[in-house]
Amino acid sequence: MNDAAPAPATPAPTPRRRARVRAPELIGKGGWLNTGGKELTLADLRGKCVIVDFWTFCCVNCLHVLDELRELEEKHRDTVVIIGVHSPKFVHEAEHQAVVDAVERYEVHHPVLDDPELATWKQYAVRAWPTLVVIDPEGYVVAQHAGEGHAHALEKLVEELEAEHAAKGTLRRGDGPYVAPEPVATDLRFPGKAVVLPDGGFLVSDSTRHQLVELAADGETVVRRIGSGERGFGADAFSEPQGLALLPGGETVVVADTVNHALRTYDLRTGAVGTIAGTGRQWMQGQPTSGPAREVSLSSPWDVAWFADRLWIAMAGVHQLWTYDPQTGTVEVAAGTTNEGLVDGPAREAWFAQPSGLAAAGDRLWVADSETSALRYVERDGDGFAVRTAVGTGLFDFGHRDGDAAQALFQHPLGVTALPDGSVAVSDSYNHALRRYDPATGEVTTLATDLREPSAAVLAGDDIVVVESARHRLTRLRLPEEAVRVESVAHRTQRAATDVAPGRLRLDVVFQAPAGQKLDTRYGPSTRLLVSSTPPELLAEGSGQGTDLGRDLVLGETVTEGVLHVSAMAASCDDDPENEYPACHMHQQDWGVPVRVTAGGADRLPLVLAGLDG
């Protein structure tokens, strides 16, 4: 028996005052996935902290956020429900089966609403992929974050909401609505890339199973599997591997270990797996972009190819090309600025958008630039390199159209293959087709259709072997002498344009430092804003780079519609005067905002990086 006086009750935390807006209902014509067939409503989620993740499966930044959310999802599984709202950019992404495939491919372990018509996207006034919206247990929106790198802020906010609503009696603990789908048995599961081995067999990156699979020359018989099959970063583990390249000498394959943000090696003689580049952590703005390869972080390397005495890396996560020099054991940026878009010129000044496929052919390195639906190439230019575009016009135009390259269209290509006659085959993933571009004639044709999300192809004798990612197999095709005739289709992104008034337009990027943090001004300005437009004439004034997150733009008088490209960055650190080395975090997002200039349109354009627009 304890006769001591009872300890005084711990006072309930004083909730932080925050703006609250009633959350709109979650609606989508495609219905719900990962719920066991149940249709969810916000009323079903009352009592939980809800994080709504607006994503689309083409977007590498969205995939980064899925990975960022895994730890939060596990740690707070009895109080937090994550809801994915799939909001397509490309036409293919509006197909329900494609969303079903993507949810399995990327191991999404929470309910997903398929919203092919962007109904919920519009209700929440979302402007960018990815966007995270936090709804409190009483059904009110309390925060919004665009881009990646917000896991720490979400963790803090969730802890606050848990304490506040536990004290109010409005927090409901217990299992969430996630119901896992039944697993499917196949030899490969969403394979990514392949390489032909010296013995005529194939090595395939079995991305969803986190393995490499060696197949015999028939492309079907499994010889061996490399890797445990579980996510990891050890001698027997990968995490969603993609690109493969056989190094000169024919004894070592380099693996783009995408979600480990690393380059790995597989020794064909011994079977040993090693690491040659990357730290296992994702590169963030402000970190080194060159140096000893094992000390520099990478960001979602998607493909690799040997070109100009270097290993080139399609660094999809930061819209760049990097190189690895095996002689010095170093990496460095070779092309791209981290800005997302289609800009040619000197390699270091060019813009890419999620480069995902590489193929070296003579004096050119061909690049499948997926988000611009473009085929591009790198070539020597004096003492350096330059970037050119063969097919493609930008982030918002795509389709399936053959003919002259100047008007031809792809839809999110992921792979490119050099052919013996000097032309290149393009794995036109979202058109389910294998296309061909001939530099000699400047013509684009279609070689094969009825492929399911082809992500790469390799030559095997007189045949071309296609990685049919969504059919979970390699498909062997005879290289056709004649092209397939297809009906031309052109698309633009279905996002509605924002009506803006002629003349002066106020651009405000909203950023509120997370609780317990402040802007990091120790080494100068902690924010950056870069603005440009397509076409350039859309902006008479206001383009360029600066440090303020607000800016007055002046729209040109001769252009009535276009796209504003806005890139914002903010650095925040823990607000603790006693800590000499506070933890710091980078927040970054790129927006491509379609606008239409019209009388009566808005004279202010708010874009939320973090917080709520007051």
Side-chain angles (χ1 to χ4, degrees), residues 246-263:
L246 189 65
L247 291 182
E251 296 179 342
T252 302
V253 174
V254 175
V255 183
D257 196 5
T258 304
V259 179
N260 277 327
H261 309 293
L263 298 187

Side-chain angles (χ1 to χ4, degrees), residues 266-610:
Y266 172 58
D267 191 312
L268 297 176
R269 300 164 303 166
T270 66
V273 173
T275 302
I276 58 171
T279 62
R281 297 180 299 277
Q282 183 185 345
W283 181 91
M284 301 299 287
Q285 285 285 353
Q287 293 181 343
T289 56
S290 64
R294 291 296 307 276
E295 299 175 15
V296 177
S297 294
L298 310 182
S299 182
S300 295
W302 211 274
D303 204 4
V304 281
W306 187 261
F307 174 70
D309 301 319
R310 298 282 192 280
L311 187 74
W312 288 64
I313 310 161
M315 204 73 77
V318 285
H319 318 299
Q320 291 180 312
L321 304 181
W322 290 34
T323 58
Y324 167 75
D325 184 349
Q327 298 298 318
T328 61
T330 57
V331 292
E332 65 177 347
V333 173
T337 64
T338 75
N339 294 316
E340 183 179 15
L342 193 155
V343 176
D344 289 341
R348 293 296 185 95
E349 299 172 17
W351 291 22
F352 292 92
Q354 234 169 277
S356 301
L358 301 175
D363 59 357
R364 287 182 176 178
L365 177 69
W366 293 96
V367 183
D369 201 28
S370 62
E371 281 293 288
T372 54
S373 297
L375 173 64
R376 307 176 72 185
Y377 60 92
V378 177
E379 63 181 2
R380 289 196 179 277
D381 183 27
D383 294 334
F385 293 94
V387 175
R388 320 283 187 207
T389 298
V391 183
T393 58
L395 286 164
F396 299 100
D397 295 292
F398 53 90
H400 191 154
R401 187 162 65 197
D402 288 335
D404 183 74
Q407 54 85 53
L409 295 171
F410 299 126
Q411 186 180 180
H412 198 80
L414 290 174
V416 61
T417 310
L419 300 180
D421 64 356
S423 66
V424 290
V426 178
S427 295
D428 194 6
S429 304
Y430 289 4
N431 280 327
H432 311 300
L434 189 68
R435 312 284 294 284
R436 176 177 178 265
Y437 168 70
D438 186 351
T441 64
E443 292 287 310
V444 174
T445 54
T446 297
L447 298 177
T449 57
D450 194 31
L451 301 167
R452 188 70 185 169
E453 290 192 29
S455 54
V458 292
L459 292 175
D462 293 330
D463 299 333
I464 188 165
V465 177
V466 181
V467 180
E468 269 198 278
S469 189
R471 282 201 178 110
H472 320 293
R473 70 187 188 190
L474 302 189
T475 298
R476 185 180 293 266
L477 304 173
R478 181 70 59 169
L479 271 173
E481 295 182 2
E482 294 186 5
V484 176
R485 290 191 176 274
V486 296
E487 183 178 349
S488 294
V489 180
H491 300 290
R492 282 184 66 83
T493 180
Q494 63 171 311
R495 280 194 294 160
T498 298
D499 288 338
V500 295
R504 192 167 298 276
L505 176 67
R506 178 64 184 179
L507 171 66
D508 285 318
V509 174
V510 178
F511 178 77
Q512 295 158 3
Q517 295 184 25
K518 63 179 181 180
L519 288 174
D520 179 15
T521 57
R522 292 171 299 164
Y523 308 109
S526 60
T527 55
R528 186 191 72 177
L529 181 65
L530 176 65
V531 180
S532 62
S533 66
T534 303
E537 296 78 17
L538 177 63
L539 282 179
E541 296 178 22
S543 62
Q545 184 167 307
T547 58
D548 292 335
L549 291 182
R551 185 180 301 180
D552 287 330
L553 310 178
V554 177
L555 302 176
E557 297 180 356
T558 61
V559 179
T560 58
E561 63 178 44
V563 178
L564 289 175
H565 303 283
V566 180
S567 177
M569 185 176 70
S572 63
C573 288
D574 291 345
D575 188 7
D576 181 1
E578 302 300 318
N579 186 354
E580 186 178 357
Y581 303 103
C584 296
H585 309 274
M586 194 68 69
H587 315 260
Q588 183 176 10
Q589 174 63 12
D590 295 337
W591 291 267
V593 183
V595 297
R596 181 172 50 237
V597 182
T598 179
D603 60 5
R604 177 176 178 264
L605 178 62
L607 300 175
V608 177
L609 179 60

Side-chain angles (χ1 to χ4, degrees), residues 64 70 88 90 97 110 120-121 126 136 155 165 181 219 267 274 277 281 392 397 408 425 476 490 539 557 588 607 610:
H64 290 166
R70 294 186 199 280
F90 290 98
Q97 185 57 48
H110 51 250
T120 295
W121 167 287
V126 175
D136 72 12
E155 172 76 23
H165 288 275
D267 191 312
R281 297 180 299 277
D397 295 292
R476 185 180 293 266
L539 282 179
E557 297 180 356
Q588 183 176 10
L607 300 175

